[in-house]
C-alpha cells in the first residue's frame, strides 16, 4: 500500500488535508496524526473491521484495547453508559488534554476496540490537528500510538514513517509532540479511582481534583505470570530500542563510575554502549553515544525527549544502553514507568 504523507505548514490553511484524512477514516482506512502526547494511528472507532486493521498494521496483540478519541462531549454520550461525578470533575479540569478516562461502554462500541471488555477508554485531545480531524471525520476515532507494537511510541512523523510506511493509508506530519509520553489513564468505574498508566497529567494534579487515588501495581513493578494489570496493555514489554536497556540506580558519582566501568568492559569485548543521562552528567561518560534528556529537575522536558532518545540509539547501532534513573514525582512517574518497561524492570545498583 502507498502511504500518502502530507506535511502541515501552519502558515497556510490545511482544511483540504484534514478533509482528505477524514474521508479516509470514514471509508474505513487508517490515518496517523499528531496529538499533544504522541502520534496516534486513527480509524473509525465505531467500525469494528477498520479497528481490526489497526492491530494488523501495528502487529498489536488483540487483547490490548484501543482508546477512543473525541472532539466534543456529544460524542462521549454516544459511546458511554454513564458519566460518574468524579469523571465530570476530571473532564472539567483536564479535557481537552492528555487524560484518558475509563467508562462503562454502550453496545455500539465494537469488541475490536475494547478487547471484549465492558468498558471503554476515552480521550479528548487538545492538539488542534487531532481535534479538527476527529470533528471532520464526525465519529469517535480509535487511535493507539502509531508505532509498531513494542517499539518506543512516535513523537515525530519520521518515527511513524520508520515503523508504518506502506502499512497505513495516510500520515499527517504536524511536527513534534509536546508531552512526549502517552496519556494518563484513570479508571473511575470502581469505588476508588485508579491510575492505570501515568502520563502528563500527574497523580498530584488528579488528587487535587478528586482526592486520593489508587495506583495499579503494574505502574510501578513487574507483574508475576498470574497477575493481570487493569489496563491490559501494561503487561507487554514496551518502548524498547533494538539494544538492551539497563537502568543504573544510586548516588550520582557512583552511577557515573559504574556505567563507565561497564562501557570499558564492553569495549574490550568489541561491544558498543549508549548512555541516557541528564544535562549535569552527560559530559562525564565515555560511551559511543551519550544523550541527555534535559535538565534533571525539568521532568516535563525529560518526558518529552524520552522516546526520541530511545529511538536514536537504533540509528547509532549500539549494543547496550545504560540509563540513569529520575525522581518519580510529577511527570517523573511516567518517565520511570516507561524506562522500567523498556528495561523489563531490571536495574543495577551502583
Ligand atoms: P495506546 O493506545 O498504545 O496508548 O494504549 C492504550 C492503553 O489503554 C493500553 O495500555 C490499554 O490496555 C489501555 N486501555 C484501553 N482500553 C481500556 C479499558 N477499557 N480498560 C483498561 N485499559 C484500557
Ligand atoms: Mg502504545
Amino acid at each position: 500500500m502507498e502511504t500518502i504523507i502530507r506535511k502541515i505548514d501552519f502558515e497556510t490553511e490545511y482544511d483540504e488535508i484534514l478533509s482528505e484524512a477524514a474521508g479516509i477514516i470514514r471509508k474505513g482506512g487508517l490515518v496517523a496524526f499528531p496529538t499533544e502526547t504522541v502520534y496516534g494511528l486513527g480509524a473509525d472507532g465505531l467500525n469494528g473491521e477498520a479497528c481490526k486493521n489497526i492491530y494488523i498494521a501495528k502487529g498489536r496483540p488483540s487483547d490490548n484495547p484501543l482508546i477512543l478519541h473525541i472532539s466534543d462531549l456529544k460524542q462521549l454520550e454516544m459511546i458511554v453508559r454513564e458519566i460518574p461525578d468524579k469523571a465530570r470533575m476530571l473532564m472539567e479540569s483536564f479535557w481537552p488534554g492528555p487524560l484518558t478516562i475509563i467508562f462503562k461502554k454502550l453496545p455500539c462500541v465494537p469488541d475490536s476496540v475494547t478487547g471484549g471488555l465492558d468498558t471503554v477508554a476515552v480521550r479528548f485531545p487538545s492538539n488542534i490537528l487531532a481535534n479538527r480531524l476527529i470533528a471532520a471525520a464526525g465519529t469517535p476515532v480509535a487511535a493507539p500510538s502509531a508505532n509498531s507494537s513494542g517499539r518506543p511510541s512516535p513523537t515525530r512523523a519520521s518515527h511513524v514513517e520508520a515503523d508504518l510506511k506502506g502499512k497505513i493509508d495516510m500520515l499527517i506530519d504536524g511536527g513534534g509532540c509536546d508531552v512526549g509520553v502517552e496519556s494518563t489513564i484513570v479508571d473511575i468505574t470502581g469505588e476508588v479511582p485508579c491510575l492505570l498508566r501515568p502520563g502528563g497529567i500527574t497523580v498530584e494534579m488528579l488528587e487535587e481534583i478528586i482526592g486520593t487515588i489508587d495506583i495499579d501495581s503494574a505502574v510501578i513493578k513487574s507483574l508475576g505470570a498470574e497477575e493481570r494489570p487493569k489496563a491490559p496493555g501494561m503487561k507487554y514489554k514496551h518502548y524498547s530500542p533494538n539494544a538492551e536497556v539497563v537502568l543504573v540506580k544510586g548516588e550520582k558519582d557512583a552511577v557515573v563510575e559504574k556505567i563507565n566501568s561497564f562501557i570499558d568492559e564492553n569495549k574490550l569485548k568489541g561491544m558498543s554502549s549508549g548512555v541516557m543521562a541528564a544535562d549535569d552528567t552527560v559530559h562525564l561518560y565515555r560511551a559511543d553515544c551519550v544523550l541527555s534528556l534535559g535538565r534533571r529537575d525539568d521532568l516535563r522536558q525529560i518526558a518529552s525527549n524520552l522516546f526520541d532518545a530511545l529511538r536514536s540509539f537504533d540509528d547509532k547501532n549500539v549494543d547496550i544502553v545504560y540509563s540513569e534513573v529520575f525522581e518519580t514525582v510529577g511527570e517523573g512517574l511516567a518517565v520511570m514507568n516507561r524506562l522500567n518497561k523498556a528495561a523489563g524492570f531490571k536495574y543495577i545498583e551502583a
Side-chain angles (χ1 to χ4, degrees), residues 54-55 58 60-67 112-115 117 144 149 197 231-236 238:
I54 291 181
Y55 291 86
K58 282 180 57 88
R60 181 175 173 106
S62 60
D63 67 345
N64 186 2
L66 309 175
I67 295 172
S112 54
V113 167
T114 62
L117 298 172
S149 203
R197 177 172 74 184
M234 294 289 277
K235 70 173 173 278
Y236 294 106
H238 253 93

Side-chain angles (χ1 to χ4, degrees), residues 8 46 57 69 98 111 150 153 185 202 240 244 252 259 268 320 335:
I8 302 287
L46 301 182
H69 294 69
D111 277 346
S153 293
I185 306 180
T202 65
S240 312
E244 183 186 357
K252 194 151 81 183
I259 292 179
L268 291 175
I320 183 158
V335 169

Side-chain angles (χ1 to χ4, degrees), residues 257-275:
E257 199 177 312
K258 188 88 183 177
I259 292 179
N260 275 331
S261 74
F262 287 136
I263 293 168
D264 293 343
E265 275 171 37
N266 291 342
K267 252 185 212 145
L268 291 175
K269 290 189 252 172
M271 281 166 63
S272 61
S273 316
V275 177

Side-chain angles (χ1 to χ4, degrees), residues 84 86 104 187-194 210-214 230:
K86 285 192 173 157
K104 292 187 176 143
D187 185 352
I188 40 71
T189 59
E191 280 280 292
V192 182
C194 185
I210 54 169
T212 309
I213 61 173
D214 282 342
K230 287 193 183 150

